Amino acid sequence: MAADSQVVRQVVRRVPRWRDLAPFLRPRPFRWRSADRRLARCLSVDDLEGAARRRVPTAVWDYVYGGSDGEHAMRRNRAAFDRVELLPTAFGQVGEPEVRTSILGRPAAAPIVLAPTGYTRLSHHTGERAVAAAAAAAGLPYTLSTYATTSITDVADAAPQGRNWFQVYLMKDRAVTLDHITEAASQGYEALMLTIDTTVTGMKRKDKLNGFAIPPQLSLRTFAGMTRHPGWVSNILTTEPLRFATFPEGSHYGRWGMSNELREQAIRPSDIGWLKEHWSGPVVVKGVLSVADAVAAVDAGAEGVDATLTLLVEELRRAMCLLGTPDVAAIGPEHVRLRSA
Amino acid sequence: MAADSQVVRQVVRRVPRWRDLAPFLRPRPFRWRSADRRLARCLSVDDLEGAARRRVPTAVWDYVYGGSDGEHAMRRNRAAFDRVELLPTAFGQVGEPEVRTSILGRPAAAPIVLAPTGYTRLSHHTGERAVAAAAAAAGLPYTLSTYATTSITDVADAAPQGRNWFQVYLMKDRAVTLDHITEAASQGYEALMLTIDTTVTGMKRKDKLNGFAIPPQLSLRTFAGMTRHPGWVSNILTTEPLRFATFPEGSHYGRWGMSNELREQAIRPSDIGWLKEHWSGPVVVKGVLSVADAVAAVDAGAEGVDATLTLLVEELRRAMCLLGTPDVAAIGPEHVRLRSA
Amino acid sequence: MAADSQVVRQVVRRVPRWRDLAPFLRPRPFRWRSADRRLARCLSVDDLEGAARRRVPTAVWDYVYGGSDGEHAMRRNRAAFDRVELLPTAFGQVGEPEVRTSILGRPAAAPIVLAPTGYTRLSHHTGERAVAAAAAAAGLPYTLSTYATTSITDVADAAPQGRNWFQVYLMKDRAVTLDHITEAASQGYEALMLTIDTTVTGMKRKDKLNGFAIPPQLSLRTFAGMTRHPGWVSNILTTEPLRFATFPEGSHYGRWGMSNELREQAIRPSDIGWLKEHWSGPVVVKGVLSVADAVAAVDAGAEGVDATLTLLVEELRRAMCLLGTPDVAAIGPEHVRLRSA
Amino acid sequence: MAADSQVVRQVVRRVPRWRDLAPFLRPRPFRWRSADRRLARCLSVDDLEGAARRRVPTAVWDYVYGGSDGEHAMRRNRAAFDRVELLPTAFGQVGEPEVRTSILGRPAAAPIVLAPTGYTRLSHHTGERAVAAAAAAAGLPYTLSTYATTSITDVADAAPQGRNWFQVYLMKDRAVTLDHITEAASQGYEALMLTIDTTVTGMKRKDKLNGFAIPPQLSLRTFAGMTRHPGWVSNILTTEPLRFATFPEGSHYGRWGMSNELREQAIRPSDIGWLKEHWSGPVVVKGVLSVADAVAAVDAGAEGVDATLTLLVEELRRAMCLLGTPDVAAIGPEHVRLRSA
């Protein structure tokens, strides 16, 4: 206490000068576009999530953000990401970290591929066009969903320089799938991504209560929620109507027809071979939930697997622990191949 | 940002047309029965739980839903279920998942048996009749409790096509138990389920505070809670009085007499043999809390054991881990037999 | 739904009769003593805790219930108790569970010893007399604290049939400790309990803020809290003044003198031998926080150790796991001896 | 109950006397300095934290207390500290615990070094002078930050008897760093602490939203928050202006210039050798996040490493567990050396 008091007594006081304060009080530059103002306050993915939540009706947010049944798997996936810990090595790092990498043999700005999302124009009327263009500008591959609300050709027109991939939901009527592949090939798409874990759509409880069913039956509450977002409603009403635009207009596939009946219910590794017969580029398998499926996909000729983090990594982790290999930070397809061999 | 702005500028606007909107605005079909309206909003077991909670007085809910003492075991059981994780294999699945199985050598629509519940008519006046009939319609076995509020014969009449099982609480006076077995046999019951973990009733704190004691002494608060549910009260008052209906009317067993004094306090494996002398069908043992008890039950001739998830699986899991068998997903009676042999 | 509807249609309605309802509506017996009414609603240790909390000023409750520093150790101890899981064996149990056991070679109604608590009359004016008498009536040993507010002789008078133990805080002035031992021996006390983990009193933050310091300096807030409990204040004021009654009246030990300066700061195993020279009965060591201390206590002649659950059991558990002994349910002094041998 | 009633009946009542009450009602001594009154209520580090939070504007608190990005690492560090458990041995302890130790070969009052903190005068206008003087009075080393708001010489003047250390952020322009080292040497500083884990400043979200950016642009909200702390504002305005005072006044380093561009982005073990060429005293490396970095630092000649608790200890713990060494309580640099050898 004595030392502290001595320092306090020795403090030299002075009259404040404007030039000492000025640097702290510079006003922030004003941004004229409201979207720019909103984005200026987004400094993390959580901030972007909050901004998005405020822009769309609750029912739309529930559709985009909600998980199946009790949302246990969704929470587990998030928890798995939260458990990830990066262990940096301080010595030997270079000035500017390099995240550029190679994906399917071609350079990418980062080890990131934009995953396919259905109904994208429901979130924002510019939809798939805007996302594909942003991905192209960022140097990342973009994957268009079979259940997109913009056609394969329109996306290629919006992002002609992009690395566009097309996600295949295998249809029972393979002719429909062949049409998709043919259009993607003619529009210069780079790769096909075959989804294998959604042969039946999950029971999304919130969507059913909101009336986001197939076919849709909006509840009064959902309708009321939409009226609180007049900008969103106005954009939806004055732009092209929402439809599954990868299917021909007027077909029963094209109008909110994402039904379990039309999709192939039993996908087999041999389906990868069938795809490769009709497609000269690479095939990536998405929705791999077990090591067995990853091995089967690669054995059947897939150029890549997109494994759901939680389950696969945890299974590998357990396997590695038993084998006495504690370091499971860098698990890749080559580990899977080893087990297959 | 440049790519984004370009897409925004290219958006084509149009006048909205009614036929684009119509499919989204179809009203939901109106359901005339209020129970149907309520059930239409129940999309998960949690939803059903909430709906049930709203239909009965708090004291009844506490009885049905509450656990013993500090409810630690109840919470642990729930947590054990929440830890369960299903690891699907995407390749090779068939179109329609098949959950039909065989229980005690006969086909069942799913690997589910409806467990015995006491005082069922307290929750709803249709009680055991409704549950047994629903189980029969669903192709699942139904187990009638010794402390049911509907008689063995009345349940058989309500579900003549059902796979009806009878749960045995062994009485000190074995003649009473023999009467139960004889009536169940004459009414075509399929199996006996012997409960071994409730020789003394748990201390259910909420029931004691609510006055749901033996004999009952309703507190003012409990009584007031009932008046807020006139439909429930009306049904209770205008249908047959609540009694333990598997016992003869007027006997001291029959009227809220579920006392620890009348039940056998020390159940031994040899009691399974005694049951099998008087019963030609299968015997399932319920309330198995340790591997030792499961082994003893099977050694004594039981055709099945109903093991409490938490404790038994955790004990087996630990045992398996020590033995170097990490995969404990599929633990069944055959594992228990192996240890017994 | 069909089966359900059929059962609903078949429900037989009737006019309610009084004799069906009467058994449920018997009024609870009225208890004339308010303490009896309060206790009648206490069905668990948590209930008793809540009732006690409501009876005393906050500062008293903080003293009794609070832990040292950030209360981490207290929370860990509670969590350790919550982790305890009893695994019953259903087969072979007898009708009435038997909890009678033997403590220090003499029969006890249960494996429970009442631990010493300082300042007991602060909680209730009947203090140590009431607790000792209740323990004697229940057939359990009771331990009187060195810092009790009732004298060794007065407690013996209140519970002449009880198994009374005396807790020794070793004083620097051993003559004071010898006086305690002599008085305990002359009053028929059965055992000495030597505390070894409190040579310095923990920093109890709440007590300091409340003014429960040594010497006490009640804050205005503490004083105000006391006025809200006039019954407690009245009892404190009209009964014998609070003092450390095991010390001679008027001595500097006797009046809130529980100071670290008077107590021995360095207890050694040889102090157990010193106690046994002056005391013919058994000596139990309390506050054992490590296996090393438990082994040292037993090697030095202690008849028993009272090990703090968390630390010792966890340490043993870890040791046992490494030795390949997964079952650590029944860890007793004999395990400690084995390690000592 | 009988025993209890008997004791209650035997209670002896008396008229309260003033001399029994007096000792409890002594008023607390009044402290004239408000800082003393506030500190008198601080009995734990958490209390000090709360008192500090109330003294400064929210934006300052956010700067001092906040972590980078989602603050995951900060929370993990706190959780790691909370998991620490001290296992005391009761027997054989001495009266007064001895925490004096030796740091870098010289005696210290405790195994504690005050870590460098930037912008210290932002929290309190006496800043680094007061902290250095308090450390000297307490017999502990104090580390001055490169980004301090008091100069190397001024701190030496305020704590001439202190063990002053200087924290080095290596600059691209090594002449600037050499100036720091020369001034520290001439002012009798004892050691250099080289930080290796902050070549790029973390993204501190709260600081950016508050306008605590480089250069600062205070938001209206931040400004409003400051007006609620007139004492703090008055002290800031009437004392020497905030600047990075280890750099020459007027240089571009000196005025809120903590930019990633001026600092060395790639620190190598050889930089430790370079430091030791120009500095005759010990060098401690701070910000060691992996065992590899710790080994490299010691191999390059560092006299000590300041390892971040969470990561290093956890990594060592895992390594030790695999080696069958369960006791990881006492991990120090010598363990690291063993792995290096």
Side-chain angles (χ1 to χ4, degrees):
Chain A
M1 212 58 84
D4 174 34
S5 301
Q6 206 169 5
V7 170
V8 169
R9 273 197 303 275
Q10 288 166 354
V11 168
V12 180
R13 299 284 172 172
R14 57 195 284 284
V15 176
R17 287 175 304 188
W18 175 248
R19 78 172 162 92
D20 296 331
L21 298 173
F24 299 86
L25 296 169
R26 300 192 313 166
R28 295 181 187 224
F30 185 76
R31 288 178 175 85
W32 290 99
R33 268 183 61 188
S34 66
D36 289 345
R37 280 201 299 280
R38 286 195 300 273
L39 285 173
R41 291 191 71 81
C42 288
L43 302 173
S44 69
V45 172
D46 284 343
D47 289 339
L48 286 168
E49 193 178 294
R53 185 193 287 258
R54 285 187 291 273
R55 293 296 291 171
V56 296
T58 304
V60 171
W61 180 255
D62 284 347
Y63 167 72
V64 171
Y65 195 78
S68 297
D69 294 293
E71 302 191 331
H72 289 279
M74 190 181 82
R75 275 195 296 273
R76 277 176 181 150
N77 281 330
R78 293 218 130 202
F81 273 104
D82 284 343
R83 278 197 301 271
V84 171
E85 204 166 351
L86 302 176
L87 289 120
T89 301
F91 284 131
Q93 67 190 344
V94 294
E96 194 69 31
E98 176 59 85
V99 294
R100 273 182 301 183
T101 187
S102 163
I103 298 177
L104 294 185
R106 290 176 54 190
I112 294 171
V113 175
L114 273 74
T117 55
Y119 306 79
T120 309
R121 291 189 57 243
L122 193 64
S123 300
H124 194 270
H125 63 286
T126 56
E128 290 85 358
R129 283 185 183 86
V131 185
L140 299 176
Y142 167 77
T143 316
L144 182 70
S145 171
T146 286
Y147 291 105
T149 43
T150 308
S151 75
I152 294 173
T153 299
D154 287 346
V155 164
D157 289 346
Q161 310 299 330
R163 297 183 60 181
N164 298 320
W165 296 11
F166 181 71
Q167 177 235 16
V168 175
Y169 273 126
L170 218 60
M171 297 292 154
K172 279 181 184 157
D173 181 353
R174 299 289 155 95
V176 176
T177 300
L178 270 185
D179 285 349
H180 280 152
I181 298 177
T182 308
E183 186 176 351
S186 75
Q187 295 294 331
Y189 278 60
E190 176 189 6
L192 291 186
M193 182 179 268
L194 174 68
T195 295
I196 63 170
D197 67 341
T198 320
T199 50
V200 175
T201 308
M203 203 287 279
K204 295 187 68 178
R205 201 178 147 277
K206 289 173 184 166
D207 290 356
K208 292 212 169 177
L209 293 179
N210 290 330
F212 262 62
I214 311 294
Q217 295 174 317
L218 299 192
S219 71
L220 274 180
R221 188 172 173 167
T222 303
F223 192 78
M226 290 184 171
T227 62
R228 282 197 294 274
H229 293 269
W232 179 89
V233 169
S234 157
N235 282 326
I236 284 282
L237 292 183
T238 64
T239 55
E240 50 177 327
L242 280 177
R243 54 180 286 278
F244 290 135
T246 69
F247 299 98
E249 194 155 6
S251 87
H252 60 304
Y253 287 93
R255 189 177 289 278
W256 290 91
M258 179 181 176
S259 64
N260 297 329
E261 287 73 34
L262 299 170
R263 282 209 305 282
E264 177 62 70
Q265 301 292 298
I267 300 180
R268 292 186 178 77
S270 58
D271 291 316
I272 297 170
W274 179 82
L275 279 181
K276 295 184 77 76
E277 283 173 33
H278 299 91
W279 174 260
S280 58
V283 171
V284 175
V285 178
K286 178 176 178 293
V288 171
L289 300 171
S290 68
V291 171
D293 278 352
V295 171
V298 174
D299 284 349
E303 272 79 9
V305 294
D306 168 54
T308 298
L309 187 82
T310 326
L311 301 171
L312 185 50
V313 167
E314 292 294 316
E315 192 180 341
L316 277 172
R317 202 178 287 271
R318 277 194 291 270
M320 294 282 170
C321 280
L322 288 169
L323 296 171
T325 313
D327 184 1
V328 290
I331 293 176
E334 67 279 14
H335 288 87
V336 175
R337 282 231 57 93
L338 281 174
R339 286 171 59 104
S340 171
Chain B
M1 210 60 83
D4 174 33
S5 302
Q6 206 169 6
V7 170
V8 169
R9 272 197 303 277
Q10 289 166 353
V11 168
V12 181
R13 298 285 174 171
R14 58 195 282 286
V15 177
R17 288 175 302 187
W18 174 248
R19 78 175 163 86
D20 296 330
L21 299 172
F24 299 85
L25 296 170
R26 299 192 314 167
R28 295 181 187 224
F30 184 76
R31 289 177 176 86
W32 290 99
R33 269 184 60 189
S34 66
D36 289 345
R37 280 200 301 279
R38 286 195 300 274
L39 286 173
R41 291 191 70 82
C42 288
L43 301 174
S44 70
V45 172
D46 284 343
D47 290 338
L48 287 167
E49 194 177 293
R53 185 192 287 257
R54 286 188 290 273
R55 291 298 288 172
V56 296
T58 304
V60 171
W61 180 255
D62 284 347
Y63 166 72
V64 170
Y65 195 78
S68 296
D69 295 293
E71 301 192 332
H72 288 279
M74 190 180 81
R75 275 195 297 272
R76 277 177 182 149
N77 280 329
R78 292 218 131 202
F81 273 106
D82 284 343
R83 278 196 301 272
V84 171
E85 202 166 352
L86 302 176
L87 290 120
T89 301
F91 283 131
Q93 66 189 347
V94 294
E96 194 69 32
E98 176 60 85
V99 292
R100 274 180 299 182
T101 187
S102 162
I103 298 177
L104 294 185
R106 289 177 53 190
I112 294 172
V113 175
L114 274 73
T117 55
Y119 306 80
T120 309
R121 290 189 56 243
L122 193 63
S123 300
H124 194 271
H125 64 285
T126 57
E128 290 86 358
R129 284 184 182 87
V131 185
L140 300 175
Y142 167 77
T143 316
L144 183 70
S145 170
T146 288
Y147 290 105
T149 43
T150 308
S151 74
I152 295 174
T153 300
D154 286 346
V155 164
D157 288 346
Q161 311 299 331
R163 296 183 61 181
N164 298 320
W165 296 11
F166 182 72
Q167 177 235 18
V168 175
Y169 273 124
L170 217 60
M171 296 293 152
K172 280 181 185 158
D173 181 351
R174 298 290 155 94
V176 176
T177 300
L178 271 186
D179 285 349
H180 281 151
I181 298 177
T182 308
E183 186 175 351
S186 75
Q187 295 294 330
Y189 278 61
E190 177 189 6
L192 292 186
M193 182 179 269
L194 174 68
T195 295
I196 63 170
D197 67 341
T198 320
T199 50
V200 175
T201 309
M203 203 288 281
K204 295 187 69 180
R205 202 179 147 277
K206 288 173 185 165
D207 290 356
K208 292 211 169 177
L209 293 179
N210 290 329
F212 262 61
I214 311 293
Q217 295 175 316
L218 300 191
S219 70
L220 275 180
R221 188 171 171 165
T222 303
F223 192 78
M226 290 182 171
T227 62
R228 282 197 294 274
H229 293 269
W232 179 88
V233 169
S234 158
N235 281 326
I236 284 282
L237 292 183
T238 63
T239 55
E240 48 176 330
L242 280 177
R243 55 179 287 276
F244 290 135
T246 70
F247 298 98
E249 194 155 7
S251 88
H252 60 305
Y253 287 92
R255 190 178 288 277
W256 290 91
M258 181 181 175
S259 64
N260 298 328
E261 287 74 35
L262 297 171
R263 282 211 304 281
E264 179 61 70
Q265 301 291 298
I267 300 180
R268 292 186 177 79
S270 59
D271 291 316
I272 296 169
W274 178 82
L275 278 181
K276 295 185 76 77
E277 282 172 33
H278 299 90
W279 174 261
S280 58
V283 171
V284 175
V285 178
K286 177 176 178 293
V288 171
L289 299 171
S290 68
V291 172
D293 278 350
V295 171
V298 174
D299 284 348
E303 272 79 8
V305 294
D306 168 53
T308 298
L309 187 81
T310 324
L311 301 171
L312 185 51
V313 167
E314 292 294 317
E315 192 180 340
L316 277 171
R317 202 178 287 270
R318 278 194 292 268
M320 294 281 170
C321 280
L322 287 170
L323 296 171
T325 314
D327 185 1
V328 290
I331 293 176
E334 67 279 13
H335 288 86
V336 175
R337 283 229 57 91
L338 281 174
R339 287 171 57 103
S340 170
Chain C
M1 210 59 83
D4 174 35
S5 302
Q6 205 169 7
V7 170
V8 170
R9 274 198 302 276
Q10 288 165 355
V11 168
V12 180
R13 299 284 173 171
R14 56 197 283 287
V15 177
R17 287 173 303 185
W18 175 248
R19 78 174 163 89
D20 296 331
L21 298 173
F24 298 86
L25 297 169
R26 300 191 313 166
R28 294 179 186 228
F30 185 74
R31 289 177 175 86
W32 290 99
R33 272 185 58 189
S34 66
D36 289 345
R37 280 201 299 280
R38 286 195 301 274
L39 286 173
R41 291 191 71 81
C42 289
L43 301 173
S44 69
V45 173
D46 284 343
D47 289 340
L48 287 167
E49 193 177 294
R53 184 191 288 257
R54 287 187 290 272
R55 292 296 289 173
V56 296
T58 304
V60 172
W61 181 254
D62 285 346
Y63 167 73
V64 171
Y65 195 78
S68 297
D69 294 294
E71 302 192 330
H72 289 279
M74 190 181 82
R75 275 195 296 273
R76 277 176 182 149
N77 281 330
R78 293 219 131 201
F81 273 106
D82 284 343
R83 278 197 300 273
V84 171
E85 202 165 352
L86 302 176
L87 290 121
T89 301
F91 284 131
Q93 67 190 346
V94 293
E96 194 69 31
E98 176 60 84
V99 293
R100 274 182 299 183
T101 186
S102 162
I103 298 178
L104 294 184
R106 290 177 53 191
I112 294 172
V113 176
L114 273 73
T117 56
Y119 307 80
T120 309
R121 291 190 55 243
L122 193 63
S123 300
H124 194 270
H125 64 286
T126 56
E128 291 85 357
R129 284 184 182 86
V131 185
L140 300 175
Y142 167 76
T143 316
L144 183 70
S145 170
T146 287
Y147 291 107
T149 43
T150 308
S151 74
I152 295 174
T153 300
D154 286 346
V155 163
D157 288 346
Q161 311 299 330
R163 297 183 61 179
N164 297 321
W165 297 11
F166 182 71
Q167 177 234 16
V168 175
Y169 272 125
L170 217 60
M171 296 292 153
K172 280 181 185 156
D173 182 352
R174 298 290 154 95
V176 176
T177 301
L178 272 185
D179 284 349
H180 281 152
I181 298 177
T182 309
E183 186 176 351
S186 76
Q187 295 294 332
Y189 278 61
E190 177 188 7
L192 292 186
M193 182 178 269
L194 173 68
T195 295
I196 63 170
D197 67 342
T198 320
T199 50
V200 176
T201 308
M203 204 290 279
K204 294 186 70 180
R205 201 177 147 278
K206 288 173 186 165
D207 290 355
K208 292 212 168 178
L209 294 179
N210 290 331
F212 262 61
I214 310 294
Q217 295 175 316
L218 300 191
S219 70
L220 275 179
R221 188 171 172 166
T222 304
F223 193 77
M226 288 183 172
T227 62
R228 282 197 294 274
H229 293 267
W232 180 87
V233 169
S234 158
N235 282 326
I236 284 283
L237 292 183
T238 63
T239 55
E240 48 176 330
L242 279 178
R243 56 179 287 276
F244 290 136
T246 70
F247 299 98
E249 194 155 7
S251 88
H252 60 305
Y253 288 92
R255 189 178 289 276
W256 290 91
M258 180 183 176
S259 65
N260 298 328
E261 288 72 36
L262 298 171
R263 281 210 304 281
E264 178 62 70
Q265 301 292 298
I267 300 180
R268 293 188 177 76
S270 57
D271 290 316
I272 296 170
W274 178 82
L275 279 181
K276 295 186 76 78
E277 283 173 33
H278 299 92
W279 174 261
S280 59
V283 171
V284 175
V285 178
K286 178 177 177 294
V288 172
L289 299 171
S290 68
V291 172
D293 278 351
V295 171
V298 174
D299 284 348
E303 272 79 9
V305 294
D306 168 55
T308 298
L309 187 81
T310 324
L311 301 172
L312 185 51
V313 167
E314 293 293 317
E315 192 181 341
L316 277 171
R317 202 178 288 269
R318 278 193 291 268
M320 294 281 170
C321 280
L322 287 169
L323 296 171
T325 314
D327 184 0
V328 290
I331 292 175
E334 68 279 12
H335 289 86
V336 175
R337 283 230 57 90
L338 281 174
R339 287 171 57 107
S340 170
Chain D
M1 212 58 85
D4 173 34
S5 303
Q6 205 169 4
V7 170
V8 170
R9 273 196 304 274
Q10 288 166 353
V11 167
V12 180
R13 299 283 173 171
R14 56 196 284 286
V15 176
R17 288 174 301 185
W18 176 247
R19 77 173 165 90
D20 296 331
L21 298 173
F24 298 87
L25 296 170
R26 300 191 313 165
R28 296 179 185 225
F30 185 75
R31 290 177 175 85
W32 291 100
R33 270 185 58 189
S34 66
D36 289 344
R37 281 201 299 281
R38 286 197 300 274
L39 285 173
R41 291 190 70 81
C42 289
L43 302 173
S44 70
V45 173
D46 284 343
D47 289 340
L48 287 168
E49 193 178 294
R53 184 192 287 255
R54 285 187 292 271
R55 293 296 290 173
V56 296
T58 304
V60 171
W61 180 256
D62 284 347
Y63 167 72
V64 170
Y65 194 78
S68 296
D69 294 293
E71 302 192 331
H72 288 279
M74 190 181 81
R75 275 195 295 273
R76 277 176 183 150
N77 281 329
R78 294 218 129 201
F81 273 105
D82 284 343
R83 278 197 300 271
V84 171
E85 203 166 352
L86 302 176
L87 289 120
T89 301
F91 284 130
Q93 66 189 347
V94 294
E96 194 70 30
E98 176 60 85
V99 294
R100 274 181 299 183
T101 186
S102 162
I103 298 178
L104 294 185
R106 291 177 54 191
I112 293 173
V113 176
L114 273 72
T117 55
Y119 306 79
T120 309
R121 292 189 55 242
L122 193 64
S123 300
H124 194 270
H125 64 286
T126 56
E128 290 85 359
R129 284 185 182 86
V131 185
L140 300 176
Y142 166 77
T143 316
L144 183 70
S145 171
T146 286
Y147 291 106
T149 44
T150 309
S151 74
I152 294 173
T153 300
D154 286 347
V155 163
D157 289 347
Q161 311 299 330
R163 298 182 60 180
N164 299 320
W165 297 11
F166 181 72
Q167 178 235 16
V168 176
Y169 273 125
L170 218 60
M171 296 293 152
K172 279 182 185 156
D173 181 351
R174 297 290 155 94
V176 176
T177 301
L178 271 185
D179 285 350
H180 280 152
I181 298 177
T182 308
E183 186 176 351
S186 74
Q187 295 294 332
Y189 279 60
E190 177 188 6
L192 292 185
M193 182 179 268
L194 173 68
T195 295
I196 63 170
D197 66 341
T198 321
T199 49
V200 175
T201 309
M203 204 289 280
K204 295 187 68 180
R205 202 178 147 277
K206 288 173 185 166
D207 290 357
K208 292 212 169 178
L209 294 179
N210 290 330
F212 262 61
I214 312 294
Q217 295 175 315
L218 300 191
S219 69
L220 275 180
R221 188 171 173 165
T222 304
F223 192 78
M226 290 184 171
T227 62
R228 283 197 293 274
H229 294 268
W232 179 89
V233 169
S234 157
N235 281 327
I236 284 283
L237 292 183
T238 63
T239 56
E240 49 176 329
L242 280 178
R243 55 178 288 275
F244 290 135
T246 70
F247 299 98
E249 193 155 8
S251 88
H252 61 304
Y253 288 92
R255 189 178 289 276
W256 290 92
M258 180 182 176
S259 64
N260 298 328
E261 286 73 35
L262 298 171
R263 282 210 305 281
E264 177 61 71
Q265 302 291 298
I267 300 179
R268 292 188 177 75
S270 59
D271 291 316
I272 297 170
W274 178 82
L275 279 180
K276 294 184 78 76
E277 282 173 32
H278 299 91
W279 174 261
S280 58
V283 172
V284 175
V285 178
K286 177 176 178 293
V288 171
L289 299 171
S290 68
V291 172
D293 278 351
V295 171
V298 174
D299 284 349
E303 272 77 10
V305 294
D306 168 54
T308 299
L309 187 81
T310 324
L311 300 172
L312 185 50
V313 167
E314 292 293 318
E315 192 179 342
L316 277 171
R317 202 178 287 271
R318 277 195 291 267
M320 294 282 169
C321 279
L322 288 170
L323 297 170
T325 314
D327 184 1
V328 290
I331 293 175
E334 67 278 14
H335 288 87
V336 174
R337 282 231 57 92
L338 280 174
R339 286 171 58 106
S340 171

